[in-house]
Amino acid sequence: DEAVSEQAVDPKTRILLYKLVNGGVLDAVNGVISTGKEAVIMHADGGPGPDQGPEVALNVPKECAVKVFKTTLNEFKTRDKYIREDYRFRDRFSKQNPRKIIHMWAEKELHNLVKMAKGGLRVPEAVVLKKHVLVMSFIGAEGRPAPKLKDAADRMSERAMEDAYNQVGHTQIRL
């Protein structure tokens, strides 16, 4: 798909993906699962991990989701607002190169995932971030993503929906 290659998997992104495969983080990138205004999500097979000693040990799952943040700002022009107002990036933010803003956006996503996991929410486990490519655990099986909550709600019992609501509602996380 032309939009994918122009907005996410450009030559620099392909090189990052090749490095993740050659470095042992991934065995293979299998294809696109989903696209949105800010990123393209791909399914990948987890690799054995980098061969650089125990200090670089990564917990790479069998199946991974690779979130590639789009490197153009055509579809999500207000992205810098979310970085500029985040206390974690205030000292590094300036109206700068859009690619650097995207790198910070990806870093913000990584920090948010880690914080939500520490707060007890069931979110994908972050594996590694390389510039604008975030590798995380895949929620689903055999290349098929788990259904989105909005789609699964039709098949959930009232009790299961109440439990899901309470799990999220009682978790206090300040991002």
Side-chain angles (χ1 to χ4, degrees), residues 118-135:
K118 283 182 181 175
L121 290 177
R122 292 169 51 192
V123 296
E125 180 185 338
V127 175
V128 68
L129 172 67
K130 296 288 184 190
K131 297 187 178 183
H132 62 283
V133 176
L134 176 61
V135 178

Side-chain angles (χ1 to χ4, degrees), residues 30-63:
N30 302 319
V32 175
I33 297 169
S34 175
T35 60
K37 64 182 179 181
E38 71 178 48
V40 173
I41 309 293
M42 293 184 261
H43 179 268
D45 298 326
D51 189 21
Q52 298 174 353
E55 67 278 356
V56 190
L58 295 177
N59 184 19
V60 182
K62 181 180 174 193
E63 289 186 271

Side-chain angles (χ1 to χ4, degrees), residues 10 15 29 60 85 87 96 107 117 119 121 125 149 151-152 173:
D10 59 7
I15 290 170
V29 179
V60 182
E85 295 173 1
Y87 72 93
Q96 56 183 306
E107 189 178 335
L121 290 177
E125 180 185 338
L149 185 56
D151 299 329
I173 299 174

